[in-house]
Amino acid sequence: MPIDPIPPLPADLPPLSKLPNFDPRAVPVAGIDSHLPAVAREALVPGAIRERFRAAPAWEPEIWAERRFTDRQPALASVLVPIVMRDEPTVLLTERATHLKTHSGQVAFPGGKRDETDADEAHTALREAQEEIGLDAGRVEVLGKMPTFTTGTRFIVTPVVGLVRPGAPLRLNPHEVANAFEVPLRFLMDPAHHRRHIFEFMGVQREWFSMPYMDGRDERFIWGATAAMLRNFYRFLSA
């Protein structure tokens, strides 16, 4: 697979997160994929997800990459897609600290750049989850990995899917993470909650998914790379 299946943006066009006063919540919804079937409840239990990784069908990710915003060398990274094995399985997500240089305040999976000492993609994802939210690797059953997703900042990200035993204590690293929360897997695997956005700036059109989730009074606005990887996970489970 080529690293840049989507052409770069003009050199003077910044990433969306750098636009003054840009709020992805304010961009109109261009469409909602309610015509697509939700993943069946029985396919979202741990045993069914294990079996899906053991004997995966032929399938293709829907989204491989974002338009790149920089000419720097690509860097390898991994994220953990942590599925908490509750009676109603959930996905554990984080809200990035607001002082970070990239993607500050955004909803994300725990994860980060690969170190030279990491054995593989799963090692990176588990190490980063330990560093960011204090999730003990011993509480995670790694099922497998998804195809890579290349971000506009030139990170080639491997999503590593794992099952997490409920009750795992978390210790958030305040330098990286402002909050951690769970969203029902069934909600995320229902395209009726997958919104498409189109935004044009300086003559260039950009598109992305969002999956807003109301957590009590708090809106968890999942969008961009995180939403794209969840969309690919939907395609994997529904193939």
Side-chain angles (χ1 to χ4, degrees), residues 50-164:
R50 286 191 192 98
E51 180 61 21
R52 173 60 48 135
F53 274 95
R54 190 193 68 79
W59 76 288
E60 286 288 334
E62 183 172 344
I63 314 167
W64 286 102
E66 299 172 325
R67 287 181 179 270
R68 59 183 170 90
F69 305 110
T70 175
D71 288 327
R72 74 179 181 87
Q73 286 297 109
L76 298 178
S78 292
V79 296
L80 182 66
V81 182
I83 300 174
V84 184
M85 296 185 290
R86 302 192 185 280
D87 292 338
E88 178 80 23
T90 62
V91 176
L92 177 62
L93 292 163
T94 71
E95 180 185 321
R96 290 170 59 83
T98 56
H99 64 265
L100 295 175
K101 291 183 179 179
T102 59
H103 310 295
S104 64
Q106 292 187 15
V107 172
F109 296 115
K113 188 176 178 181
R114 181 170 181 173
D115 285 350
E116 292 182 359
T117 55
D118 290 340
D120 53 24
E121 295 92 345
H123 189 164
T124 302
L126 293 172
R127 175 183 56 75
E128 287 285 341
Q130 172 75 49
E131 294 175 4
E132 290 185 4
I133 60 176
L135 179 61
D136 186 348
R139 288 184 171 266
V140 183
E141 175 191 347
V142 173
L143 298 182
K145 60 186 181 181
M146 302 285 289
T148 61
F149 179 84
T150 303
T151 69
T153 48
R154 302 283 275 169
F155 282 101
I156 304 173
V157 182
T158 299
V160 176
V161 180
L163 300 177
V164 180

Side-chain angles (χ1 to χ4, degrees), residues 20-36:
N21 304 315
F22 175 77
D23 183 356
R25 295 171 177 82
V27 177
V29 175
I32 300 175
D33 285 352
S34 54
H35 62 286
L36 295 175

